[in-house]
Amino acid sequence: YQYTPLPSNTSFRFLELLPGPREEAPSYRLHFADWNSPPEYEAISYAWGNLARTHSSLCDNKSMEITQSLHECLVHIRHQDASRVLWADAGCIDQSNVDERNFQVSNMRQIYKNAQKVLVWLG
């Protein structure tokens, strides 16, 4: 998967988790939003776990590797009949882009503060 750069310094990504059964790999879309008018979303707080243990998911119809912990979380919280709007750091932040990662980490307080709900995944 290839991330598209954030359009501005007030931008962030959110994840639209598409509906589906637990037997299928998670599928989602990434969207841009602006802190001046953020959408309603739920933030996920979770332990990344072993970074070497990954699962394939579909992001914008392209393969994206995510940690086993995030994979399990998305499988369990996914609705069968409706999308769910979420923020999860491993998917919403381009972890390979150090500048973006550092900037977005500095926004963590705002990310969790603006969430409609914070979901905690302990496995």
Side-chain angles (χ1 to χ4, degrees):
Y1 182 82
Q2 182 69 39
Y3 283 91
T4 302
L6 292 170
S8 74
N9 64 355
T10 59
S11 299
F12 68 102
R13 291 182 195 88
F14 65 91
L15 185 151
E16 176 191 1
L17 181 60
L18 301 174
R22 286 193 176 181
E23 303 81 46
E24 291 181 8
S27 181
Y28 45 90
R29 295 183 191 117
L30 286 179
H31 302 277
F32 293 118
D34 192 280
W35 284 120
N36 297 314
S37 58
E40 290 188 6
Y41 65 93
E42 299 169 292
I44 304 172
S45 179
Y46 65 101
W48 278 38
N50 184 342
L51 298 180
R53 296 177 68 191
T54 63
H55 282 268
S56 187
S57 62
L58 281 177
C59 180
D60 298 325
N61 291 318
K62 297 177 181 113
S63 180
M64 177 189 266
E65 292 296 313
I66 58 175
T67 64
Q68 179 175 341
S69 179
L70 181 56
H71 170 83
E72 290 171 359
C73 175
L74 295 178
V75 166
H76 281 84
I77 69 170
R78 175 175 46 188
H79 297 306
Q80 289 190 5
D81 56 357
S83 291
R84 195 163 192 176
V85 179
L86 305 165
W87 183 89
D89 55 0
C92 295
I93 298 173
D94 180 355
Q95 299 297 322
S96 67
N97 181 328
V98 176
D99 290 337
E100 177 183 323
R101 187 177 66 218
N102 290 342
F103 182 74
Q104 292 297 327
V105 167
S106 73
N107 289 324
M108 289 291 207
R109 181 177 181 163
Q110 186 171 6
I111 289 165
Y112 286 102
K113 178 182 169 195
N114 287 322
Q116 300 298 307
K117 194 185 299 185
V118 176
L119 309 170
V120 178
W121 178 256
L122 301 175

